[in-house]
Amino acid sequence: MAAGNETETAAGTVMGTAGYMSPEQARGEEIDHRSDVFSFGAVLYEMASGARAFHKATVPETLAAIIRDEPADLPDTPLRNVIQHCLEKEPAQRFQSIKDLAFALRSTGLAATTSGSMKPAAPAKRNWLWPMACAASLAAGLLLAPKPGAAPQLAVKEFSIDDDWLTAPTYSPDGKSIAFVKGAGRNRGLMVRTVDGGEPVVIAKDVARPVNNIHFTLFWSRDGGRIYYQSNQGISQVSAAGGESALLFAGVRAAALLPGSDAFVIAQAREGKTRFLVSDPPGSAPKERAGFPEFDGEFGYIAFSPDGSRVCLGIGTGSVFSVAAWPTGPLRKLNVSGSPRRPQWFPDNRTLLITQAVGGRIVRVDVETGSVEPIFVSPDFITSAMLAPGAKSLVFANGIARSRIQEFGADGRPGPMIAPATGVQSIPGWSVDGQSIALSNNFREKASIRTWSAATGDVRTVLTLDNIGMNIRARLSPDNKRIAYNYDRGLWTISVHGGSPIKLLNRETLIGVTWSPDSRWIAFAEGRRVFKVSSQGGAEPVLLFESETVTVRETAWIGDSIFAPSGNDIVRLSADGGKPVKIASPGQVEICGHTADGRTLYVFENVDGARPRVIPIDIASGAIGKAIDLDTDSAVDTVSVHPSGKRFAAMVRTSTYNLYTLEGFAK
């Protein structure tokens, strides 16, 4: 046998074609169907790139490469994510069946579907697109070809393909139209498109930012004539045909129609509890109604079952769902992982449709047994899914989640990228001395805590987490010895050198981590409330403050004072508690840092139709300085200000999500 010939089987060696073996097969271990998934991924890689994924000069070198090495990167397309998922070294990290792989191929936007050829989401002027499309179409056709006597297959069809962020799709009551949000940056709008074709129509532009509202309240009136949606100011309405929108409820995020009527039910959260008010007719002053409950928890999403006998509630902006008999209760938490989004009831009033963004799954959840049944699996993020009337089909938003950390100068002009990496680079935080940044990264179903050196540009991974963690805020202690971060419904600390993390406490929707100047305490936000807890652990958190109508995402701890947003104000409160004192009224903003001398506080503002901006506030006088517009049209989630006040690190979203419909899943 000639050296390097991989297509013959040498006597006494592992059986199989070396270039297409799985790692477990190359090691001579027991294999199952997931080994075939890896081999199929190697074939897809070769079809897409024209080169073998693990080709070496000899068979032993090839086997070693399969076990240890990663193949060269493919272009950044949805098909690349499918191939990478197939080629995971660990079987548990791959597609768990050929069926799941086939569905994923159909959702790439490159494979043919039952509605015709799917168009690529990106411009097609690249020499790799044709082989990519051929590979996806051929593979999907082979895997999804119907077999004699087989059950009906799922049918994925493109609905709206755009090089943008499309999310929160919602069917009209007659099933003939779909409303959805387009855009995550300053140019976003509420769109309506008919199911049978036609161009999408913009009907409103004052849409709240979907990146900060993962459940996103959006629903139609019972007659289909109006659409209610989450605007920048609260819950607004607009005619389904377009026209001028109107604000119905200022400062409200969670609302739903009471089943069988046109009355609105509004969630009013305060002091860790939520009560439910009724507006009837819609837009009238919300009032209490006899028999309506008050539940523990601050809820940001409401979904009633069709017969009104049950309710599913989402806690704040987080990913914790509870169900209850309506209106008697009691509440019971659902055990659904993977950053679940936008629950919706099936017609049986017992099962819920839920999107698991992390893991790219649409699932059916039985609220009585707690069982979770997958309906559809994608290698990419699925941000939202909604049933059509009758539950025979659904529409979902699927795409690639990406963000970068971009530096901006004191004049707002963009500078270099910070700690560039594949995946979602999240929520940067400058150290007190301005020498480094802590951040998190999500990529291929794992998250990591990292630090970046401003002097050298080096990136170091401090900790790799088992699962993706959305909205992780990693913050360096003032003495630069530890990092505090929120993850897996808790608050953790870890040495900057790595090692074993320490869990300080359990909390459902904890965000806004801030250290005290002496590194002895950590302040954090939960909904509209601000707490502090000992950084050494072993003590209960102390409630310091409750904001007026604003979810607190960041605070600042300067000296013996903590600063937090409250309504349109920024307030100062003692680190030991007490009555808050207003220092300025900059509007609806988030705190994003302060200067090293503690004289200037910075806040971050996202105003509809305008560029994101950073605003300085003189703490002593409360004077609001000149705003600094960040020169970008992309969605900016968060900003961290350098202690000098002359550099900004921003999390800039570059995600792309398209809309698809799915049929064939009904029982």
Side-chain angles (χ1 to χ4, degrees):
M1 183 176 67
N5 186 347
E6 301 175 18
T7 61
E8 298 180 20
T9 302
T13 63
V14 179
M15 297 295 291
T17 303
Y20 306 101
M21 287 186 185
S22 65
E24 60 269 29
Q25 188 178 10
R27 289 190 294 263
E29 299 172 352
E30 185 177 348
I31 63 173
D32 57 21
H33 61 280
R34 294 172 296 184
S35 178
D36 297 331
V37 171
F38 186 95
S39 300
F40 195 84
V43 173
L44 277 181
Y45 182 96
E46 187 170 345
M47 293 172 67
S49 67
R52 288 192 180 183
F54 304 102
H55 181 69
K56 299 295 180 181
T58 66
V59 170
E61 289 176 304
T62 298
L63 296 178
I66 290 172
I67 294 170
R68 295 195 307 259
D69 300 342
E70 297 290 342
D73 285 343
L74 293 169
D76 190 3
T77 69
L79 183 59
R80 181 187 75 169
N81 292 355
V82 174
I83 295 173
Q84 287 177 333
H85 204 41
C86 290
L87 296 179
E88 292 283 0
K89 301 299 185 187
E90 294 296 327
Q93 299 298 322
R94 300 174 203 148
F95 292 104
Q96 296 302 290
S97 71
I98 291 293
K99 184 178 180 181
D100 288 347
L101 169 57
F103 297 155
L105 284 165
R106 276 290 174 95
S107 67
T108 60
L110 295 171
T113 70
T114 55
S115 65
S117 297
M118 294 183 74
K119 297 173 288 186
K125 298 178 181 179
R126 304 177 191 176
N127 58 12
W128 45 261
L129 185 58
W130 174 245
M132 282 279 193
C134 289
S137 296
L138 178 58
L142 289 171
L143 294 176
L144 289 177
K147 300 174 179 60
Q153 298 291 314
L154 295 184
V156 180
K157 303 178 184 179
E158 67 179 42
F159 177 72
S160 187
I161 306 297
D162 203 333
D163 190 17
D164 209 332
W165 184 310
L166 309 183
T167 192
T170 307
Y171 279 96
S172 60
D174 60 9
K176 294 181 179 179
S177 299
I178 295 175
F180 60 94
V181 176
K182 177 180 178 180
R186 65 178 183 141
N187 300 316
R188 59 187 183 272
L190 178 63
M191 319 290 291
V192 171
R193 183 183 180 186
T194 57
V195 172
D196 58 4
E199 291 297 317
V201 177
V202 183
I203 63 169
K205 292 188 175 181
D206 61 330
V207 181
R209 302 174 66 239
V211 294
N212 284 341
N213 300 277
I214 61 175
H215 303 311
F216 205 90
T217 297
L218 173 61
F219 56 93
W220 298 65
S221 61
R222 287 205 303 160
D223 61 9
R226 297 178 304 283
I227 299 175
Y228 305 106
Y229 64 97
Q230 207 168 323
S231 66
N232 291 311
Q233 294 77 37
I235 299 295
S236 295
Q237 71 169 359
V238 66
S239 167
E244 187 174 350
S245 60
L247 178 65
L248 291 181
F249 308 108
V252 173
R253 185 172 67 244
L257 289 179
L258 192 64
S261 76
D262 293 321
F264 259 66
V265 175
I266 296 168
Q268 186 181 73
R270 188 172 182 83
E271 296 181 353
K273 296 182 179 293
T274 298
R275 63 174 182 159
F276 298 88
L277 308 179
V278 177
S279 171
D280 189 11
S284 62
K287 299 178 181 178
E288 294 186 6
R289 178 170 290 188
F292 274 28
E294 181 176 76
F295 290 141
D296 289 335
E298 298 191 359
F299 298 101
Y301 193 80
I302 306 172
F304 286 108
S305 61
D307 66 358
S309 65
R310 285 178 163 140
V311 66
C312 180
L313 301 171
I315 293 181
T317 58
S319 300
V320 180
F321 292 143
S322 296
V323 293
W326 181 263
T328 57
L331 276 180
R332 178 170 51 85
K333 290 180 183 176
L334 289 178
N335 185 22
V336 184
S337 60
S339 186
R341 311 283 176 92
R342 295 189 87 205
Q344 182 188 12
W345 293 89
F346 279 90
D348 64 2
N349 302 295
R350 170 174 170 164
T351 52
L352 283 163
L353 181 84
I354 292 180
T355 302
Q356 291 176 301
V358 177
R361 302 203 310 171
I362 302 171
V363 298
R364 182 188 280 111
V365 180
D366 188 317
V367 302
E368 294 184 7
T369 66
S371 65
V372 179
E373 176 189 348
I375 292 175
F376 180 80
V377 180
S378 169
D380 302 315
F381 270 50
I382 299 179
T383 63
S384 180
M386 278 282 155
L387 293 164
K392 300 295 185 183
S393 64
L394 61 82
V395 59
F396 65 97
N398 179 64
I400 303 173
R402 291 174 297 199
S403 66
R404 65 180 185 268
I405 306 302
Q406 180 87 52
E407 183 167 345
F408 291 84
D411 57 0
R413 294 182 181 178
M417 284 199 297
I418 293 174
T422 305
V424 178
Q425 299 280 82
S426 294
I427 314 180
W430 279 102
S431 60
V432 170
D433 61 9
Q435 296 300 308
S436 56
I437 285 177
L439 67 150
S440 62
N441 175 266
N442 287 299
F443 180 59
R444 296 173 74 171
E445 300 189 10
K446 287 188 179 293
S448 59
I449 305 296
R450 301 179 175 183
T451 57
W452 173 81
S453 169
T456 65
D458 292 339
V459 179
R460 193 171 68 85
T461 299
V462 177
L463 175 67
T464 299
L465 302 165
D466 292 335
N467 300 296
I468 283 183
M470 307 302 292
N471 297 317
I472 296 177
R473 282 167 163 78
R475 295 294 181 260
L476 285 155
S477 61
D479 59 12
N480 287 323
K481 293 181 178 180
R482 289 177 290 170
I483 296 174
Y485 62 96
N486 60 300
Y487 173 71
D488 192 26
R489 302 176 184 177
L491 176 63
W492 304 73
T493 61
I494 188 172
S495 166
V496 293
H497 303 296
S500 299
I502 299 172
K503 192 171 189 177
L504 299 183
L505 54 87
N506 291 301
R507 251 346 187 239
E508 293 287 3
T509 55
L510 182 153
I511 56 175
V513 178
T514 307
W515 289 87
S516 64
D518 60 8
S519 301
R520 294 176 57 195
W521 295 88
I522 298 173
F524 65 90
E526 187 177 40
R528 295 183 295 109
R529 296 182 294 171
V530 177
F531 298 82
K532 73 172 183 178
V533 67
S534 169
S535 64
Q536 302 300 317
E540 288 297 312
V542 178
L543 176 63
L544 299 176
F545 168 69
E546 181 163 2
S547 170
E548 293 289 338
T549 71
V550 175
T551 297
V552 179
R553 300 183 186 278
E554 295 284 358
T555 59
W557 199 322
I558 305 173
D560 58 0
S561 298
I562 296 175
F563 297 82
S566 180
N568 291 317
D569 303 330
I570 296 294
V571 298
R572 180 210 303 256
L573 55 144
S574 168
D576 295 323
K579 186 176 181 179
V581 177
K582 182 178 77 172
I583 67 165
S585 299
Q588 299 278 327
V589 296
E590 296 178 15
I591 290 175
C592 59
H594 59 87
T595 52
D597 60 13
R599 295 180 179 179
T600 305
L601 184 72
Y602 289 87
V603 296
F604 171 56
E605 180 185 59
N606 260 316
V607 177
D608 184 55
R611 294 190 187 279
R613 55 178 50 179
V614 177
I615 304 171
I617 300 174
D618 182 80
I619 293 176
S621 67
I624 299 174
K626 182 180 179 182
I628 303 162
D629 291 339
L630 303 185
D631 188 9
T632 179
D633 289 330
S634 298
V636 176
D637 275 21
T638 60
V639 173
S640 179
V641 178
H642 188 272
S644 68
K646 297 179 180 179
R647 302 168 67 182
F648 312 122
M651 177 183 173
V652 180
R653 292 276 184 176
T654 56
S655 302
T656 301
Y657 298 105
N658 296 309
L659 300 183
Y660 302 88
T661 59
L662 179 69
E663 299 176 350
F665 60 87
K667 289 188 175 181

